[in-house]
Amino acid sequence: MHVVRTATELSQVQVMIPGPVHFVPTMGALHAGHASLISTAVKNRDADRDQGSVLVSIFVNKTQFNDKKDFETYPRNEAADLKLCEMAGADIVFIPDDDQMYPDEYLGTEVCVPGISKEWEGRFRPGHFNGVATVVMKLFHLSLPDYAYFGEKDWQQCRVIERMVADLNVPVYLVFCPTVREQDGLAISSRNQLLPADERPKAPMLFARISQCADDIRKGTDPRAAELEAADRLHADGFTSVDYVAAVDGSSLAPIEGAKPGARVLAAASIGGVRLIDNVPI
Ligand code: AMP
């Protein structure tokens, strides 16, 4: 496995491994969710006659953090990350530093995906999706992937990237991978390790409440009533703030008036000072 830290090193290594590039962008603190993306990429690489390479990037992108403290406390563990990448079968790990991605002369050119970036996470994390779209586009240009892998845990992020790729004719095939959960249902996230021990047992209630909400909507409950009920229950469960519980069309992310194919419940709520997001199908 090659570990590279600059754009030049990356292209030098990529020349040595011809064939399709399977790209998994991450912010590190890798866990079973990331491992499933890498394993899917490895499986697709191995199924291809031309082989090719699996490239993982690790970069904690400060421009997508609207909260400075969140950026500073974001977990980082390069040694463990490299071990996980190696075990999962990655060929190249790209770990740029801030100067590589945003050198002094960087003027702040941004990719903005309007509409779909505005609601839900976009409302509570101003600028977040501009940061995400921009860094993903930069990483695409640096690594020239044929395939790129994203987790459905970040449903809105998937839709933003999908729109960016379609609108700007980016020649990459996107692969969306299902959310990996702990046994108790909590969606695995790098931020979970920041949960205080006494709050951790309550965290799976986010998944439980939005699953109940989806179920109620399927059975005919008005989506707005089901959302309110879920938010109330989350407060009662010990969540300190519930940013949103939203029953939406899975593509446009517009609120739905009743169950329909492809619909999702999206939610974000905080417990023990940690903001969690999750989503489920209706
Ligand atoms: P992050 O390091 O949080 O930026 O995540 C990198 C990629 O891993 C994103 O595409 C995430 O959606 C995906 N991911 C994170 N957690 C999970 C999970 N529990 N299941 C599936 N994919 C995940």
Side-chain angles (χ1 to χ4, degrees):
M1 188 175 78
H2 303 268
V3 180
V4 294
R5 294 179 192 275
T6 66
T8 312
E9 284 170 4
L10 175 60
S11 51
Q12 283 166 349
V13 166
Q14 283 193 300
V15 167
M16 299 190 313
I17 317 177
V21 174
H22 298 263
F23 178 43
V24 183
T26 82
M27 296 205 300
L30 302 183
H31 50 61
H34 300 109
S36 84
L37 266 58
I38 302 171
S39 300
T40 305
V42 165
K43 214 161 50 191
N44 289 345
R45 175 199 66 192
D46 293 346
D48 195 319
R49 199 158 37 90
D50 297 330
Q51 280 276 308
S53 59
V54 170
L55 165 67
V56 179
S57 69
I58 298 174
F59 179 61
V60 185
N61 176 43
K62 67 173 174 218
T63 70
Q64 72 188 67
F65 285 80
N66 50 310
D67 175 354
K68 195 163 168 251
K69 189 168 157 258
D70 186 25
F71 173 70
E72 280 160 5
T73 57
Y74 198 83
R76 293 161 171 88
N77 191 343
E78 188 181 303
D81 288 349
L82 289 176
K83 232 180 251 167
L84 185 146
C85 289
E86 180 109 60
M87 296 283 288
D91 300 287
I92 309 169
V93 185
F94 177 43
I95 315 181
D97 63 11
D98 267 359
D99 284 349
Q100 272 297 308
M101 296 301 287
Y102 303 109
D104 284 345
E105 61 270 26
Y106 177 71
L107 281 179
T109 306
E110 272 192 331
V111 180
C112 167
V113 185
I116 203 126
S117 296
K118 208 175 118 223
E119 289 304 325
W120 321 125
E121 283 304 279
R123 185 172 293 274
F124 288 90
R125 304 187 66 189
H128 169 65
F129 285 122
N130 284 10
V132 170
T134 303
V135 79
V136 168
M137 186 65 113
K138 282 169 72 72
L139 289 166
F140 279 177
H141 284 141
L142 288 167
S143 60
L144 302 174
D146 296 279
Y147 302 87
Y149 298 75
F150 294 89
E152 287 184 347
K153 181 190 161 260
D154 299 281
W155 187 269
Q156 190 173 5
Q157 173 170 283
C158 291
R159 303 289 76 83
V160 168
I161 302 296
E162 189 172 55
R163 208 55 256 156
M164 175 185 85
V165 161
D167 285 359
L168 299 180
N169 308 94
V170 185
V172 64
Y173 184 85
L174 299 174
V175 182
F176 300 114
C177 304
T179 303
V180 179
R181 299 180 179 281
E182 302 283 6
Q183 273 194 347
D184 60 11
L186 176 65
I188 302 182
S189 161
S190 307
R191 287 188 179 86
N192 291 355
Q193 52 182 282
L194 303 173
L195 282 165
D198 56 332
E199 304 281 18
R200 170 64 187 80
K202 301 178 201 160
M205 291 316 292
L206 180 60
F207 175 58
R209 296 304 181 197
I210 62 173
S211 299
Q212 182 67 55
C213 176
D215 218 30
D216 290 347
I217 295 168
R218 259 192 308 270
K219 288 180 182 145
T221 305
D222 171 67
R224 300 298 87 70
E227 292 165 357
L228 281 175
E229 168 89 13
D232 282 350
R233 287 184 185 271
L234 284 167
H235 278 124
D237 292 333
F239 281 77
T240 47
S241 65
V242 179
D243 288 348
Y244 59 88
V245 176
V248 300
D249 178 282
S251 303
S252 70
L253 308 188
I256 52 163
E257 300 311 320
K260 60 179 209 173
R264 314 279 305 181
V265 176
L266 315 180
S270 298
I271 190 159
V274 180
R275 186 172 181 279
L276 304 175
I277 64 169
D278 203 349
N279 70 89
V280 292
I282 294 180

